[in-house]
Short mmCIF file of all heavy atoms in Angstrom, two decimals:
data_model
loop_
_atom_site.label_atom_id
_atom_site.label_comp_id
_atom_site.label_asym_id
_atom_site.label_seq_id
_atom_site.Cartn_x
_atom_site.Cartn_y
_atom_site.Cartn_z
N ARG G 171 -5.50 -14.85 3.90
CA ARG G 171 -6.67 -15.44 3.26
C ARG G 171 -7.65 -16.00 4.31
O ARG G 171 -8.86 -15.81 4.23
CB ARG G 171 -6.24 -16.56 2.32
CG ARG G 171 -5.65 -16.10 0.99
CD ARG G 171 -5.38 -17.31 0.09
NE ARG G 171 -5.03 -16.91 -1.26
CZ ARG G 171 -3.79 -16.80 -1.72
NH1 ARG G 171 -2.77 -17.06 -0.91
NH2 ARG G 171 -3.56 -16.43 -2.98
N GLN G 172 -7.09 -16.69 5.28
CA GLN G 172 -7.91 -17.35 6.29
C GLN G 172 -8.51 -16.38 7.30
O GLN G 172 -9.48 -16.70 7.99
CB GLN G 172 -7.07 -18.40 7.02
CG GLN G 172 -6.61 -19.55 6.12
CD GLN G 172 -5.43 -20.30 6.71
OE1 GLN G 172 -5.07 -20.13 7.87
NE2 GLN G 172 -4.79 -21.15 5.89
N SER G 173 -7.96 -15.18 7.36
CA SER G 173 -8.37 -14.22 8.39
C SER G 173 -9.69 -13.50 8.08
O SER G 173 -10.24 -12.84 8.95
CB SER G 173 -7.28 -13.14 8.55
OG SER G 173 -7.25 -12.30 7.41
N ASN G 174 -10.17 -13.60 6.85
CA ASN G 174 -11.36 -12.87 6.39
C ASN G 174 -11.04 -11.45 5.97
O ASN G 174 -11.92 -10.73 5.45
CB ASN G 174 -12.45 -12.82 7.47
CG ASN G 174 -13.78 -13.37 6.97
OD1 ASN G 174 -13.90 -13.76 5.82
ND2 ASN G 174 -14.77 -13.39 7.84
N LEU G 175 -9.80 -10.99 6.18
CA LEU G 175 -9.47 -9.59 5.94
C LEU G 175 -9.36 -9.24 4.47
O LEU G 175 -9.29 -8.04 4.13
CB LEU G 175 -8.19 -9.21 6.68
CG LEU G 175 -8.30 -9.17 8.21
CD1 LEU G 175 -6.96 -8.86 8.84
CD2 LEU G 175 -9.36 -8.15 8.65
N LEU G 176 -9.34 -10.22 3.58
CA LEU G 176 -9.36 -9.90 2.15
C LEU G 176 -10.71 -9.31 1.75
O LEU G 176 -10.84 -8.72 0.68
CB LEU G 176 -9.06 -11.15 1.31
CG LEU G 176 -7.67 -11.76 1.47
CD1 LEU G 176 -7.47 -12.90 0.47
CD2 LEU G 176 -6.57 -10.71 1.30
N LYS G 177 -11.71 -9.46 2.61
CA LYS G 177 -13.05 -8.93 2.34
C LYS G 177 -13.26 -7.59 3.05
O LYS G 177 -14.38 -7.09 3.10
CB LYS G 177 -14.10 -9.93 2.82
CG LYS G 177 -13.92 -11.33 2.23
CD LYS G 177 -14.80 -12.34 2.95
CE LYS G 177 -14.48 -13.76 2.48
NZ LYS G 177 -15.22 -14.79 3.24
N LEU G 178 -12.20 -7.02 3.58
CA LEU G 178 -12.31 -5.88 4.49
C LEU G 178 -13.05 -4.69 3.89
O LEU G 178 -14.02 -4.19 4.47
CB LEU G 178 -10.90 -5.44 4.92
CG LEU G 178 -10.80 -4.37 5.99
CD1 LEU G 178 -11.41 -4.85 7.30
CD2 LEU G 178 -9.34 -3.96 6.20
N ILE G 179 -12.64 -4.21 2.73
CA ILE G 179 -13.21 -3.00 2.15
C ILE G 179 -14.47 -3.27 1.33
O ILE G 179 -15.17 -2.33 0.93
CB ILE G 179 -12.14 -2.28 1.29
CG1 ILE G 179 -12.51 -0.79 1.06
CG2 ILE G 179 -11.93 -2.99 -0.04
CD1 ILE G 179 -12.43 0.06 2.29
N ILE G 180 -14.78 -4.54 1.08
CA ILE G 180 -15.94 -4.89 0.26
C ILE G 180 -17.23 -4.61 1.03
O ILE G 180 -17.37 -5.05 2.18
CB ILE G 180 -15.88 -6.37 -0.17
CG1 ILE G 180 -14.64 -6.61 -1.04
CG2 ILE G 180 -17.14 -6.79 -0.92
CD1 ILE G 180 -14.42 -8.06 -1.42
N PRO G 181 -18.17 -3.89 0.43
CA PRO G 181 -19.42 -3.56 1.14
C PRO G 181 -20.20 -4.79 1.59
O PRO G 181 -20.12 -5.86 0.96
CB PRO G 181 -20.21 -2.77 0.08
CG PRO G 181 -19.17 -2.20 -0.83
CD PRO G 181 -18.10 -3.25 -0.90
N LYS G 182 -20.95 -4.64 2.65
CA LYS G 182 -21.68 -5.77 3.24
C LYS G 182 -22.72 -6.36 2.29
O LYS G 182 -22.99 -7.56 2.34
CB LYS G 182 -22.36 -5.33 4.54
CG LYS G 182 -21.38 -5.07 5.68
CD LYS G 182 -22.12 -4.69 6.95
CE LYS G 182 -21.14 -4.45 8.11
NZ LYS G 182 -21.83 -4.08 9.35
N GLN G 183 -23.30 -5.53 1.42
CA GLN G 183 -24.33 -6.06 0.52
C GLN G 183 -23.78 -7.06 -0.48
O GLN G 183 -24.54 -7.81 -1.10
CB GLN G 183 -25.06 -4.93 -0.23
CG GLN G 183 -24.20 -4.08 -1.13
CD GLN G 183 -23.79 -2.78 -0.47
OE1 GLN G 183 -23.43 -2.77 0.70
NE2 GLN G 183 -23.90 -1.69 -1.22
N TYR G 184 -22.46 -7.12 -0.62
CA TYR G 184 -21.84 -8.11 -1.50
C TYR G 184 -21.18 -9.23 -0.71
O TYR G 184 -20.44 -10.04 -1.27
CB TYR G 184 -20.82 -7.43 -2.42
CG TYR G 184 -21.41 -6.27 -3.18
CD1 TYR G 184 -20.98 -4.97 -2.94
CD2 TYR G 184 -22.42 -6.47 -4.12
CE1 TYR G 184 -21.52 -3.90 -3.62
CE2 TYR G 184 -22.97 -5.40 -4.80
CZ TYR G 184 -22.52 -4.12 -4.55
OH TYR G 184 -23.08 -3.05 -5.22
N GLY G 185 -21.41 -9.25 0.59
CA GLY G 185 -20.85 -10.30 1.43
C GLY G 185 -19.55 -9.92 2.12
O GLY G 185 -18.94 -10.76 2.78
N GLY G 186 -19.14 -8.67 1.97
CA GLY G 186 -17.89 -8.24 2.57
C GLY G 186 -18.05 -7.75 4.00
O GLY G 186 -19.14 -7.76 4.57
N ILE G 187 -16.95 -7.30 4.56
CA ILE G 187 -16.96 -6.78 5.93
C ILE G 187 -17.54 -5.37 5.98
O ILE G 187 -18.17 -4.97 6.95
CB ILE G 187 -15.52 -6.81 6.51
CG1 ILE G 187 -15.10 -8.27 6.76
CG2 ILE G 187 -15.41 -5.98 7.77
CD1 ILE G 187 -13.64 -8.44 7.11
N GLY G 188 -17.32 -4.62 4.91
CA GLY G 188 -17.88 -3.27 4.85
C GLY G 188 -17.13 -2.25 5.67
O GLY G 188 -17.71 -1.24 6.10
#
Side-chain angles (χ1 to χ4, degrees):
R171 284 185 170 96
Q172 295 161 12
S173 70
N174 236 358
L175 291 177
L176 295 186
K177 306 168 187 175
L178 187 63
I179 199 68
I180 297 175
K182 290 182 179 180
Q183 62 262 43
Y184 306 113
I187 289 171

